[in-house]
Amino acid sequence: MNEIQTYSWNTSDIFPAPIKECPINIVQCAGVDSSPFLRAYDFLEIAIVANGEGFYKTETASYPIRQGDVFLIPKNHAHAYSSSQEIKVNSILLRNNLVFQAFPEILTEPALCCFRNLEPCFRSHDNFQNHLRLSEEELKTLLTFWEFMNQENTLQSEHSSNVLWALLHCFLVHLCRYFGKHAGNKGQKLMKLADVMKYIEQHYSAPISCKKLVKLAGQNRLAFNDLFQQATGHAPREYILLFRLTKAKERLRNTTMSIKEIAADCGFCDAGYFCQQFKKRCALSPRQYREESGTETEENILGELWG
């Protein structure tokens, strides 16, 4: 088994130093990686295979990759690239999942949900068959955004951070277009599952029928439950509960709403049941959590659902 080397966001010996307080960094990996180690990052990587072909290796598998492949490597997932010929991987590094929160108009897009959440979850089940593979013209477009981002990251002028955010937005919009366009048969199942996730995010404050979710997924109940469990690690009802509790935590941290108001606003018809479930899952009552919320970061909260 390969030894794993772990790197943090500010590991400047292998990555360019990021712009101060900017959660975006740009890096390029070129050549043949002869290192026997796998790398694990405490941040996200969007990998774009700009040239050549080779393999994306994890602790348990090795997947062939070639020019035009684009995929996300989640936080703390050990990996490496290898090839018998030169391969060039242009990457966008994102400090955490909160970066996506800056783009609310595409945050719940099914294509983005598939790219950043679902496809990585199913990678070991579908043998990496549903990652994004671009046409030559599409690859050229995304690499153009990458090149501009790389220039700003190198320049690090007064306004470089703002330019990076704007370019990342354009990059993600185009990525969503391409992912939706190229989704195959299994990919369409993931897109429908992403529709289910979007529905939950938009309707969590109201009663949610599992029958409605099954219909959105376009599958029978058994197949849907199995797919949902694989994607999230939770049964649908459990996921909805955790999602509502996550939203309740946000309100406890950021508003002065009463416990009863928060319970109702997050889809709990009974404040007593809300408090019971909150303490069971969080080991604190809602009131205690509000008092101690400074000790838990928003990244930890989001991690409860997607790791």
Side-chain angles (χ1 to χ4, degrees), residues 180-252:
K181 174 183 175 182
H182 291 294
N185 290 334
K186 182 64 182 284
Q188 288 298 329
K189 287 185 179 180
L190 297 189
M191 288 289 283
K192 285 184 175 295
L193 186 56
D195 286 335
V196 171
M197 303 300 183
K198 182 175 182 178
Y199 183 85
I200 292 172
E201 291 179 13
Q202 293 178 334
H203 298 86
Y204 69 89
S205 60
I208 296 177
S209 163
C210 280
K211 185 177 180 179
K212 173 68 175 179
L213 301 184
V214 170
K215 184 177 180 180
L216 283 172
Q219 296 177 302
N220 64 57
R221 191 182 187 95
L222 187 61
F224 167 70
N225 287 342
D226 183 57
L227 192 68
F228 197 98
Q229 180 81 34
Q230 288 182 43
T232 67
H234 303 286
R237 282 294 179 198
E238 177 78 2
Y239 179 89
I240 293 169
L241 174 63
L242 288 175
F243 191 89
R244 286 169 170 162
L245 290 175
T246 298
K247 292 301 181 181
K249 284 183 175 183
E250 292 176 3
R251 285 161 176 73
L252 287 166

Side-chain angles (χ1 to χ4, degrees), residues 62-76:
S62 181
Y63 305 110
I65 55 176
R66 64 175 174 81
Q67 184 181 40
D69 287 351
V70 184
F71 52 97
L72 182 135
I73 302 173
K75 180 178 178 181
N76 296 324

Side-chain angles (χ1 to χ4, degrees), residues 116-306:
R116 74 185 186 106
N117 295 329
L118 299 181
E119 189 279 322
C121 288
F122 283 94
R123 209 164 276 173
S124 61
H125 298 283
D126 60 23
N127 199 33
F128 202 45
Q129 294 300 305
N130 285 290
H131 69 281
L132 177 59
R133 176 162 286 170
L134 302 175
S135 68
E136 184 177 343
E137 191 63 31
E138 291 164 346
L139 175 62
K140 183 179 178 181
T141 298
L142 288 194
L143 287 179
T144 298
F145 289 123
W146 185 92
E147 290 289 352
F148 282 131
M149 294 176 77
N150 188 43
Q151 290 173 21
E152 286 298 330
N153 201 56
T154 302
L155 180 63
Q156 298 208 4
S157 70
E158 180 182 359
H159 301 293
S160 288
S161 179
N162 290 334
V163 175
L164 275 177
W165 279 107
L167 289 169
L168 178 62
H169 182 222
C170 292
F171 178 94
L172 292 175
V173 168
H174 281 77
L175 186 148
C176 286
R177 287 178 179 173
Y178 300 152
F179 197 99
K181 174 183 175 182
H182 291 294
N185 290 334
K186 182 64 182 284
Q188 288 298 329
K189 287 185 179 180
L190 297 189
M191 288 289 283
K192 285 184 175 295
L193 186 56
D195 286 335
V196 171
M197 303 300 183
K198 182 175 182 178
Y199 183 85
I200 292 172
E201 291 179 13
Q202 293 178 334
H203 298 86
Y204 69 89
S205 60
I208 296 177
S209 163
C210 280
K211 185 177 180 179
K212 173 68 175 179
L213 301 184
V214 170
K215 184 177 180 180
L216 283 172
Q219 296 177 302
N220 64 57
R221 191 182 187 95
L222 187 61
F224 167 70
N225 287 342
D226 183 57
L227 192 68
F228 197 98
Q229 180 81 34
Q230 288 182 43
T232 67
H234 303 286
R237 282 294 179 198
E238 177 78 2
Y239 179 89
I240 293 169
L241 174 63
L242 288 175
F243 191 89
R244 286 169 170 162
L245 290 175
T246 298
K247 292 301 181 181
K249 284 183 175 183
E250 292 176 3
R251 285 161 176 73
L252 287 166
R253 294 171 67 245
N254 302 317
T255 76
T256 59
M257 296 169 66
S258 70
I259 304 298
K260 188 175 182 180
E261 289 172 331
I262 290 175
D265 199 45
C266 292
F268 294 91
C269 59
D270 180 80
Y273 176 75
F274 163 66
C275 292
Q276 179 191 54
Q277 290 299 315
F278 193 99
K279 189 166 186 178
K280 178 181 178 181
R281 310 285 175 168
C282 309
L284 293 171
S285 70
R287 194 174 305 280
Q288 289 171 326
Y289 177 82
R290 172 170 268 168
E291 293 171 354
E292 300 181 18
S293 60
T295 64
E296 182 168 5
T297 67
E298 193 169 358
E299 177 69 8
N300 294 143
I301 294 170
L302 292 172
E304 291 175 7
L305 294 182
W306 290 110

Side-chain angles (χ1 to χ4, degrees), residues 65-90:
I65 55 176
R66 64 175 174 81
Q67 184 181 40
D69 287 351
V70 184
F71 52 97
L72 182 135
I73 302 173
K75 180 178 178 181
N76 296 324
H77 281 232
H79 68 284
Y81 304 116
S82 68
S83 66
S84 56
Q85 58 180 307
E86 182 168 326
I87 187 172
K88 184 187 295 182
V89 181
N90 294 9

Side-chain angles (χ1 to χ4, degrees), residues 38-99:
L38 297 178
R39 292 178 174 180
Y41 306 145
D42 71 347
F43 46 87
L44 312 175
E45 176 182 355
I46 297 177
I48 312 162
V49 184
N51 198 20
E53 59 183 43
F55 292 90
Y56 160 58
K57 301 188 297 183
T58 69
E59 290 183 88
T60 58
S62 181
Y63 305 110
I65 55 176
R66 64 175 174 81
Q67 184 181 40
D69 287 351
V70 184
F71 52 97
L72 182 135
I73 302 173
K75 180 178 178 181
N76 296 324
H77 281 232
H79 68 284
Y81 304 116
S82 68
S83 66
S84 56
Q85 58 180 307
E86 182 168 326
I87 187 172
K88 184 187 295 182
V89 181
N90 294 9
S91 295
I92 299 174
L93 311 181
L94 304 178
R95 181 69 185 87
N96 51 45
N97 267 308
L98 297 183
V99 174

